[in-house]
Amino acid sequence: MEKLQLLQGVAAPLPRANIDTDIITPAKRLLDANRETMHQHTFEPLRFLADGDENPDFILNKPGYRDAVILITGRNFGCGSSRETAVWGLRGLGIRCVIAESFGDIFFNNCFQNSLLPIRLPGETIAELLAEAGNDQGNMQFQVDVANCTLTTPSGRTITFDLTPDRQTALLEGLDEVGQTLQEDAATAAFQARDRKARPWIYDLGTVD
Amino acid sequence: MSQPTTLFHKLWQAHVVRSLGEDLDLLHVDRHLIHDLSGARALTDLQERGLAVRNPELCIATPDHSISSQPGRTLASSPFGERLGGGLRKMAEAAGIPFFGLDHPNQGIVHVVGPETGFTLPGSLLVCGDSHTSTHGALGALAWGIGSSEVVHVLATQTVRQRRPQTMRITVDGELGQGVEAKDVILHIIGALGVAAGTGHAVEYAGTTIAALDLEGRMTICNLSIEFGARMGMIAPDETTFAYLKDRPLAPKGGAWDQALAQWRGLRSDEGAVFDREVRIDAADIAPQITWGTSPGQTLAITGTIPAPDSFVEAEQRNNTELALEYMGLSGGQPIAGTKVDRVFIGSCTNGRLPDLRRAAAVAQGRTVASHVTAWIVPGSAQVKVAAEAEGLDKIFLDAGFEWREPGCAQCVATNGETVAPGERCVSTSNRNFVGRQGPKARTHLAGPAMAAAAAIAGEITDVRNLTAVAEDK
Ligand code: SF4
């Protein structure tokens, strides 16, 4: 996984609640699931008009916000389907951090598998951040410091956010979970040996044929 | 005496391989379901990393999302069927994972196949790369949906890293009114609590109403847990559960069955167990539901009125209501009943099981689908289809003018190309009415199978209780 230590850039305000992963990645785009090209369809229903042209009112299409690296949005962001393509698409658009009052649980977890940092902050703070990000056509720089768990706004305000130590380490060092867990395989083998005696039916399945 | 414990904690504790920190555990995965949308890709990722599937015997794979539901279908009948369904077959077989292909008697939607084959068991920990995996909690399993990186993790290690969620118990007591079914119960709950109330929680459903439901109804309830944010929904196993599982092909047999049963009987929250949040619902308050908006929480009693944006105080809610009404082509302040529909879809992992089809057939029997409506019945699995045909349900539906189709996800998500056309209005027994879910600009109203069948007959959203009353008069 790619490392994420210090992030600096524009934050795009998207003040809308309950943006589900079907909006972030429409279902028909899942069929061709490709990490590299998924961003072409990200936010499709919001980002493009019916004729396929860009919707000039959508924040990431506006001058100044096209290169945003942070997204500030409404509560329950990423609810719905488990599709990790939603995270791939955001990454493909250049977003490395999403700030919201709350997130869908599966999306929140998927972010950490892809070096994208989701930050939960109280509703009032979000409202203030949205306002600040909306000022000055997006020419203002926000900064996220993963090592110190701080977000610094263009006005110089510093806000701390929560991040569990394991996730912080994984982001800072770019650690991969599969690699880490494979080193625990002896513990898994021991668990299965014990468990097989207690619950043999879990391991000895019948057959359907 | 030991602390009273919740069902959730018992299930969790039994699967801890190792603690990885405060509230973070490495858990053993007993059961893993793989489908066509992400399965081949995950297995390919694994192969490219030079890793093997650790326990292929604890998996099953079946195509459901990408395949056609057309009668007489093959993999080639849908745009991506061959690539995704065929790819899954190739990769699953190479890895030694049991595979239920289109020609297999156990093919179907993963969340229908798991329980009906006895793959899903009380006390098991089950994951799948699909958010509706919460369905399996209806059997007293600890089950939740994971992302595709986690699917690779499970394949390689047979474990999952998971943070312990908070607990919530939703107790529903009392008898359901005439024409009210499990789908109405859960839509009512989501409407009452809001679409994010369960976020970060594992939910246990309890109470006399839940206990009186059949297993399929309980699955409908657990299925929609994710629609109010809860990754895990569960119901303590009881005699209904055990009777459902007995003699299912993958369930334990003989001595192992007796041994399992003895353990399963202990799988319930102890008297006095403390939950982080408790909610009580009175069954008498629940009417047949229909959603009016673009989120499952935007639901109404069928006798209700579509809300007007200015009926909300909060600006955000006003705004959401306005957006939803515009998308749905509805005006606030109007009764929802009488809204004309173009399509009806009865199926999905929410309501594609035999009792669901029976309830729809009871409404359809001797009636005719309105001439402007295209109505589909898509059984959740090949087993459901065969069982329904043995009872003659297919004939009832066909006589009434419904299409009787092949098992799969079909129009629930329309990734197989079976979309609802832009601007068309569909009453659907699935679980998501999101913007574009059934196709670009498709308008979805969620309801139970009886309400959906009634809409097909009437050609408009209608109270199924009126139809039933007419039938009883005759
Ligand atoms: S039926 Fe619908 S909700 Fe269920 S698994 Fe298939 S696509 Fe997902």
Side-chain angles (χ1 to χ4, degrees):
Chain A
M1 196 175 78
E2 212 176 312
K3 292 179 184 177
L4 181 65
Q5 296 167 337
L6 205 61
L7 180 66
Q8 179 152 340
V10 168
L14 182 60
R16 177 167 165 166
N18 300 322
I19 293 186
D20 55 65
T21 53
D22 273 75
I23 293 179
I24 306 173
T25 305
K28 63 176 180 196
R29 304 301 183 186
L30 298 177
L31 298 162
D32 233 347
N34 183 322
R35 209 177 270 271
E36 283 64 47
T37 55
M38 194 44 71
H39 66 279
Q40 294 166 3
H41 314 294
T42 300
F43 291 125
E44 191 166 281
L46 306 175
R47 196 164 133 220
F48 301 105
L49 300 169
D51 60 7
D53 283 353
E54 277 191 359
N55 174 3
D57 294 334
F58 183 62
I59 189 71
L60 295 175
N61 290 335
K62 292 190 182 173
Y65 292 104
R66 301 187 82 95
D67 297 324
V69 294
I70 298 169
L71 190 69
I72 306 172
T73 187
R75 64 187 148 74
N76 203 26
F77 186 80
C79 59
S81 156
S82 61
R83 59 192 68 164
E84 201 162 313
T85 45
V87 180
W88 299 355
L90 289 168
R91 280 293 320 264
L93 285 179
I95 304 289
R96 292 301 295 273
C97 171
V98 183
I99 305 174
E101 190 180 339
S102 59
F103 292 89
D105 280 342
I106 305 180
F107 175 86
F108 190 79
N109 204 45
N110 285 342
C111 285
F112 290 104
Q113 313 285 341
N114 294 278
S115 191
L116 190 148
L117 172 64
I119 298 179
R120 278 192 282 242
L121 291 174
E124 312 87 74
T125 314
I126 298 287
E128 291 157 14
L129 290 174
L130 283 168
E132 204 169 329
N135 284 338
D136 199 29
Q137 285 79 50
N139 292 320
M140 301 166 69
Q141 301 280 304
F142 284 71
Q143 193 181 302
V144 177
D145 181 342
V146 178
N148 291 305
C149 293
T150 55
L151 165 73
T152 309
T153 74
S155 65
R157 177 171 173 206
T158 296
I159 298 162
T160 50
F161 56 84
D162 285 338
L163 186 61
T164 57
D166 59 298
R167 283 173 163 158
Q168 185 183 38
T169 311
L171 282 173
L172 289 171
E173 297 176 20
L175 295 181
D176 167 77
E177 290 192 351
V178 174
Q180 289 173 273
T181 306
L182 282 171
Q183 302 188 1
E184 308 282 350
D185 198 61
T188 306
F191 176 94
Q192 288 188 341
R194 253 190 346 262
D195 194 40
R196 196 179 271 277
K197 292 201 189 89
R199 302 185 306 154
W201 57 88
I202 291 295
Y203 301 89
D204 304 319
L205 285 82
T207 49
V208 291
D209 292 319
Chain B
M1 230 188 77
S2 63
Q3 271 300 87
T5 314
T6 63
L7 168 62
F8 165 76
H9 284 102
K10 291 181 186 179
L11 294 172
W12 183 280
Q13 226 40 56
H15 293 89
V16 176
V17 170
R18 208 167 100 72
S19 162
L20 299 175
E22 200 196 339
D23 279 350
L24 176 66
D25 286 316
L26 187 66
L27 301 173
H28 186 258
V29 173
D30 300 336
R31 297 284 183 263
H32 185 196
L33 286 160
I34 298 176
H35 58 78
D36 49 351
L37 209 52
S38 57
R41 168 92 205 193
L43 286 161
T44 307
D45 277 2
L46 195 73
Q47 204 176 48
E48 283 170 359
R49 298 176 66 148
L51 298 170
V53 179
R54 193 183 188 285
N55 290 100
E57 73 284 6
L58 303 183
C59 282
I60 51 181
T62 186
D64 51 9
H65 286 71
S66 74
I67 54 171
S68 167
S69 69
Q70 180 89 44
R73 66 164 178 211
T74 64
L75 283 178
S77 312
S78 61
F80 286 84
E82 277 181 316
R83 211 182 88 194
L84 295 176
L88 181 65
R89 170 186 289 269
K90 197 172 123 241
M91 295 304 296
E93 284 178 353
I97 295 171
F99 177 78
F100 305 158
L102 286 198
D103 49 358
H104 194 283
N106 288 100
Q107 181 268 332
I109 307 172
V110 277
H111 311 311
V112 178
V113 171
E116 77 182 6
T117 53
F119 182 71
T120 310
L121 294 175
S124 64
L125 189 154
L126 181 150
V127 295
C128 171
D130 186 276
S131 58
H132 294 102
T133 307
S134 54
T135 311
H136 305 262
L139 289 90
L142 187 62
W144 71 94
I146 57 178
S148 56
S149 294
E150 290 176 300
V151 170
V152 176
H153 187 279
V154 175
L155 288 169
T157 69
Q158 205 56 35
T159 62
V160 62
R161 289 167 173 252
Q162 184 65 29
R163 249 154 267 269
R164 196 165 39 239
Q166 306 270 94
T167 53
M168 182 193 295
R169 178 162 58 187
I170 300 180
T171 307
V172 191
D173 281 320
E175 210 173 309
L176 292 174
Q178 186 238 331
V180 179
E181 50 177 288
K183 183 66 161 288
D184 303 312
V185 174
I186 187 65
L187 283 174
H188 174 91
I189 290 173
I190 300 169
L193 301 186
V195 288
T199 306
H201 287 79
V203 175
E204 179 178 346
Y205 302 93
T208 57
T209 315
I210 305 294
L213 290 172
D214 59 18
L215 239 285
E216 290 85 352
R218 297 180 190 182
M219 287 185 228
T220 302
I221 302 248
C222 288
N223 177 272
L224 273 102
S225 301
I226 188 68
E227 305 313 331
F228 63 107
R231 275 175 97 171
M232 308 168 195
M234 68 198 75
I235 295 170
D238 59 8
E239 295 310 316
T240 308
T241 321
F242 308 142
Y244 172 93
L245 276 172
K246 185 130 178 60
D247 299 325
R248 302 256 166 194
L250 299 179
K253 304 275 173 337
W257 170 262
D258 297 334
Q259 197 189 345
L261 206 56
Q263 278 190 22
W264 294 345
R265 289 192 200 280
L267 293 175
R268 55 183 132 84
S269 291
D270 299 330
E271 194 76 39
V274 179
F275 291 78
D276 296 303
R277 187 167 173 203
E278 292 255 21
V279 175
R280 290 191 173 273
I281 304 275
D282 185 350
D285 295 340
I286 308 174
Q289 300 285 305
I290 181 96
T291 65
W292 58 268
T294 54
S295 131
Q298 290 173 324
T299 182
L300 274 179
I302 180 64
T303 48
T305 304
I306 302 165
D310 56 21
S311 66
F312 295 98
V313 193
E314 220 189 302
E316 191 189 87
Q317 257 189 320
R318 256 197 323 265
N319 189 23
N320 281 347
T321 305
E322 217 163 287
L323 285 172
L325 289 177
E326 192 194 316
Y327 181 83
M328 293 298 289
L330 295 172
S331 349
Q334 301 292 311
I336 187 85
T339 308
K340 197 164 161 266
V341 304
D342 307 297
R343 280 186 171 268
V344 168
F345 168 63
I346 297 176
S348 88
C349 62
T350 310
N351 281 127
R353 299 183 181 82
L354 187 59
D356 300 314
L357 302 191
R358 282 186 189 141
R359 279 194 303 278
V363 174
Q365 180 141 39
R367 296 198 170 96
T368 313
V369 171
S371 58
H372 66 276
V373 174
T374 306
W376 286 12
I377 311 284
V378 182
S381 71
Q383 290 288 308
V384 170
K385 182 167 184 254
V386 167
E389 286 173 352
E391 291 181 12
L393 301 187
D394 57 326
K395 192 151 183 310
I396 294 176
F397 288 125
L398 287 165
D399 286 349
F402 288 84
E403 289 186 31
W404 178 248
R405 300 181 65 96
E406 295 292 332
C409 299
Q411 219 157 41
C412 170
V413 66
T415 39
N416 63 351
E418 293 170 357
T419 52
V420 170
E424 274 189 345
R425 190 177 298 287
C426 179
V427 174
S428 174
T429 65
S430 55
N431 43 43
R432 284 189 176 138
N433 50 353
F434 293 166
V435 166
R437 171 78 176 185
Q438 291 192 295
K441 302 227 156 27
R443 293 165 169 161
T444 305
H445 295 269
L446 303 176
M451 283 278 289
I457 306 293
E460 57 183 40
I461 292 172
T462 192
D463 191 337
V464 63
R465 293 172 297 191
N466 298 339
L467 279 183
T468 334
V470 175
E472 279 164 5
D473 278 355
K474 276 186 197 160

